[in-house]
Amino acid sequence: MLAVVFAVGGALGVNRRANAINDVRTSATQLLALQDIRVRVVHADAIASSSYLVGGQEKPAQRAAYLDEISVAGDGLVAVSGAATDADLEQLSEASRLLGSYVGLVEQARANNRQGFPIGAAYQREANGIVSNADPDAPDVVSSLRAVEASQRDQINASLATAHRAGMWMQLCGWLLMLSLLGASLWLARTFRRVINVPIAAAIGVLLLLLVIGGSTQASAMSEVDAAVADPLAGADNAAQARAAAFEARSQEALTLINRGNGAANEANWQRANDVVTQAIGNGSALSSDASSVYQGYVDAHVEIRDLDNGGEWDLAVAVSLGEPGSTGVGNALARFDDFDRRIGELITLDGSSASLGLGDAVKPLRTLRNVVFFAGLALAVLAALGCGQRLKEYR
């Protein structure tokens, strides 16, 4: 009876651990997808804000990049909504609604800017406020996405805890069965004057081997999962936070120049976004060595922009921000920022793929172990029955 309990309970425990790890992988994939959407939205806003600085008709390449980011972000919101909880779905619906409003305001800003109407700047500021703002009572796309991201992190932690707990079922059922087999073997030896009962001895040997190998397999799987979550997934998470905040800073830089002398609030927003980037870079060891120094190059260019603007050289400040020919010898904020974006984007892709691969590899041996435990448990029940049957036959 205990052997059957071991077969069922042990297999269910291993299967539950495998399912929990798979849930970690699903939530991690959802988290990275949400962060990609947020990055694309703030990138689109950075493009729109920088394009407004040009005046008139923006460059076709910038327009195409903006439309592409909005399109991919919209498709991404639809995709992640399919696996969202009711609470998350409400936030995602809000983000989708706000994104639609944002696009409309950008088009109004663009139309007025092409005709030289200064009211376009107000539309651009309002559009930026829909993407991200510091007012907790004013909804924005970034806050909605961050709320869902936080929910995914909670789900990852909960699934990870479930995976750790689920592994005990195989060991608990297995060692209870081991004690029963040893007790039965001792009782049969004393009662029937036989030192060894071959079927039961075989059952004990198989069970011991199964507990050792199964325990090692489960421990190895959890080690892979913990490593994947603590290293590449955390690294991708930090990198995505830094990348999104950097695009927010880039938008605020453009808005500070758009507001010409009235951009103190936007510069304060730039500082807040910059703090997020700096903190995120500091949280990731892979980020610290490379992206930090590259990002500092952009920060230095931004300081130059502010010095130029505050000194009355607005045109030159704009040239530095947009990386135009007039910025030669002063700085090129666009080139420095693009270098940072390229490097951190590669890091997100690499770490995200490593995390997904590590979590997937951890599940595979557990699926096999689940089947082995179930059928081995049934085999142990047969061996125990044969062992007892031998002695009963001798007795009769």
Side-chain angles (χ1 to χ4, degrees), residues 38-97:
R38 179 154 63 94
V39 166
R40 290 183 182 278
V41 171
V42 293
H43 184 199
D45 187 52
I47 294 172
S49 299
S50 296
S51 295
Y52 189 92
L53 273 176
V54 177
Q57 185 72 36
E58 72 269 44
K59 296 178 181 178
Q62 284 185 312
R63 178 64 177 170
Y66 165 81
L67 291 174
D68 182 60
E69 292 291 65
I70 291 296
S71 175
V72 175
D75 291 342
L77 282 170
V78 174
V80 297
S81 295
T85 62
D86 289 342
D88 290 346
L89 189 58
E90 184 178 345
Q91 293 285 355
L92 292 171
S93 297
E94 177 73 355
S96 182
R97 181 187 68 79

Side-chain angles (χ1 to χ4, degrees), residues 30-327:
Q30 189 86 334
L31 172 63
L32 295 176
L34 286 160
Q35 290 177 329
D36 181 66
I37 293 168
R38 179 154 63 94
V39 166
R40 290 183 182 278
V41 171
V42 293
H43 184 199
D45 187 52
I47 294 172
S49 299
S50 296
S51 295
Y52 189 92
L53 273 176
V54 177
Q57 185 72 36
E58 72 269 44
K59 296 178 181 178
Q62 284 185 312
R63 178 64 177 170
Y66 165 81
L67 291 174
D68 182 60
E69 292 291 65
I70 291 296
S71 175
V72 175
D75 291 342
L77 282 170
V78 174
V80 297
S81 295
T85 62
D86 289 342
D88 290 346
L89 189 58
E90 184 178 345
Q91 293 285 355
L92 292 171
S93 297
E94 177 73 355
S96 182
R97 181 187 68 79
L98 290 170
L99 184 60
S101 299
Y102 167 79
V103 171
L105 287 169
V106 167
E107 291 309 307
Q108 287 180 291
R110 179 170 173 260
N112 280 279
N113 191 33
R114 285 204 309 269
Q115 298 177 65
F117 298 154
I119 189 64
Y123 286 122
Q124 190 63 50
R125 285 194 298 269
E126 187 177 353
N128 174 260
I130 286 180
V131 168
S132 177
N133 64 70
D135 184 356
D137 296 325
D140 62 88
V141 177
V142 167
S143 294
S144 295
L145 292 175
R146 279 177 176 163
V148 185
E149 289 171 24
S151 173
Q152 294 306 309
R153 292 189 190 95
D154 289 342
Q155 290 183 42
I156 289 172
N157 292 332
S159 297
L160 201 57
T162 298
H164 276 283
R165 289 193 302 268
M168 72 177 189
W169 288 105
M170 176 184 166
Q171 294 296 320
L172 179 62
C173 294
W175 287 109
L176 282 175
L177 177 59
M178 177 68 76
L179 290 175
S180 298
L181 289 173
L182 289 172
S185 179
L186 181 61
W187 181 82
L188 289 172
R190 286 181 175 179
T191 302
F192 296 98
R193 309 292 182 182
R194 297 287 190 276
V195 177
I196 297 177
N197 184 297
V198 175
I200 291 182
I204 292 172
V206 170
L207 179 58
L208 180 61
L209 190 64
L210 188 61
L211 288 174
V212 172
I213 295 176
S216 175
T217 300
Q218 290 204 81
S220 176
M222 286 312 304
S223 179
E224 283 189 64
V225 172
D226 289 337
V229 171
D231 190 9
L233 182 58
D237 191 356
N238 280 320
Q241 299 295 328
R243 192 182 188 194
F247 277 124
E248 289 184 49
R250 185 81 173 131
S251 294
Q252 296 303 319
E253 177 180 284
L255 287 168
T256 305
L257 293 170
I258 289 170
N259 290 329
R260 301 191 71 158
N262 296 299
N266 298 110
E267 176 59 16
N269 290 337
W270 185 94
Q271 291 293 345
R272 279 194 290 271
N274 178 62
D275 289 342
V276 173
V277 178
T278 303
Q279 182 180 6
I281 288 176
N283 287 338
S285 58
L287 285 169
S288 302
S289 59
D290 185 28
S292 180
S293 60
V294 176
Y295 180 72
Q296 186 57 47
Y298 163 67
V299 173
D300 293 341
H302 177 78
V303 172
E304 289 184 89
I305 291 168
R306 296 310 321 136
D307 288 342
L308 289 167
D309 188 23
N310 293 334
E313 298 186 74
W314 185 85
D315 289 331
L316 189 53
V318 170
V320 174
S321 180
L322 300 180
E324 293 180 344
S327 64

Side-chain angles (χ1 to χ4, degrees), residues 292-373:
S292 180
S293 60
V294 176
Y295 180 72
Q296 186 57 47
Y298 163 67
V299 173
D300 293 341
H302 177 78
V303 172
E304 289 184 89
I305 291 168
R306 296 310 321 136
D307 288 342
L308 289 167
D309 188 23
N310 293 334
E313 298 186 74
W314 185 85
D315 289 331
L316 189 53
V318 170
V320 174
S321 180
L322 300 180
E324 293 180 344
S327 64
T328 303
V330 180
N332 188 328
L334 179 62
R336 295 179 183 184
F337 185 90
D338 284 349
D339 189 18
F340 167 75
D341 179 49
R342 177 182 58 79
R343 294 182 187 225
I344 204 167
E346 291 172 352
L347 182 61
I348 293 170
T349 301
L350 178 62
D351 279 353
S353 297
S354 296
S356 180
L357 184 62
L359 292 170
D361 289 344
V363 171
K364 292 176 184 177
L366 293 180
R367 301 297 189 195
T368 302
L369 178 63
R370 173 197 60 192
N371 297 332
V372 170
V373 168

